[in-house]
Amino acid sequence: MAAAAAEEAMAAHAEREETKAKKVWLHAWHDPVATLSAYSPCVRLADIFADGDSKLLVANADKKLKIYKGTTLLSENILLDTPVAIAVFYPDNRKPAIP
């Protein structure tokens, strides 16, 4: 009898954990209202204009690169193929070079 109660408790715990796991970040990557559908490697924050303000870069599954500042869409660019990731690179052109 105690074993049955322990099994029920473990099953209930496993069900709660599974429900929690399903809720994590699911809606962050697919929002039909914002027309966004992207994988996590295709989402980055970057200071692309060197103004000290980070912008959100999203490479959509719809072959579009969208740039947001806050909730405002700044730019939307068409990509040639489906994106797999975004890499941000900051060149250091300062003289003298600082290590």
Side-chain angles (χ1 to χ4, degrees), residues 41-44 57-59 65 84-88:
C42 296
V43 179
R44 291 285 181 265
L57 307 170
V58 180
L65 175 65
V84 293
I86 294 178
V88 178

Side-chain angles (χ1 to χ4, degrees), residues 9 13-14 17-19 36 39 43 47 52 57 72 81 84 86 93:
H13 177 71
E17 290 297 317
E18 185 178 314
T19 303
L36 289 178
Y39 297 108
V43 179
D47 181 11
L57 307 170
T72 306
D81 204 356
V84 293
I86 294 178
N93 294 329

Side-chain angles (χ1 to χ4, degrees), residues 13-27 29:
H13 177 71
E15 186 177 327
R16 282 193 304 273
E17 290 297 317
E18 185 178 314
T19 303
K20 275 189 211 175
K22 287 181 181 178
K23 291 181 183 178
V24 176
W25 296 106
L26 180 62
H27 299 293
W29 306 124

Side-chain angles (χ1 to χ4, degrees), residues 1-80:
M1 190 156 189
E7 269 186 43
E8 286 180 29
M10 291 198 49
H13 177 71
E15 186 177 327
R16 282 193 304 273
E17 290 297 317
E18 185 178 314
T19 303
K20 275 189 211 175
K22 287 181 181 178
K23 291 181 183 178
V24 176
W25 296 106
L26 180 62
H27 299 293
W29 306 124
H30 177 73
D31 186 353
V33 176
T35 64
L36 289 178
S37 179
Y39 297 108
S40 55
C42 296
V43 179
R44 291 285 181 265
L45 281 172
D47 181 11
I48 56 175
F49 300 122
D51 59 358
D53 196 17
S54 292
K55 312 297 186 287
L56 177 66
L57 307 170
V58 180
N60 243 355
D62 300 338
K63 299 180 185 174
K64 293 181 182 176
L65 175 65
K66 295 184 178 186
I67 302 171
Y68 290 90
K69 178 180 179 183
T71 57
T72 306
L73 180 64
L74 294 179
S75 172
E76 184 174 324
N77 304 298
I78 297 173
L79 301 173
L80 296 176

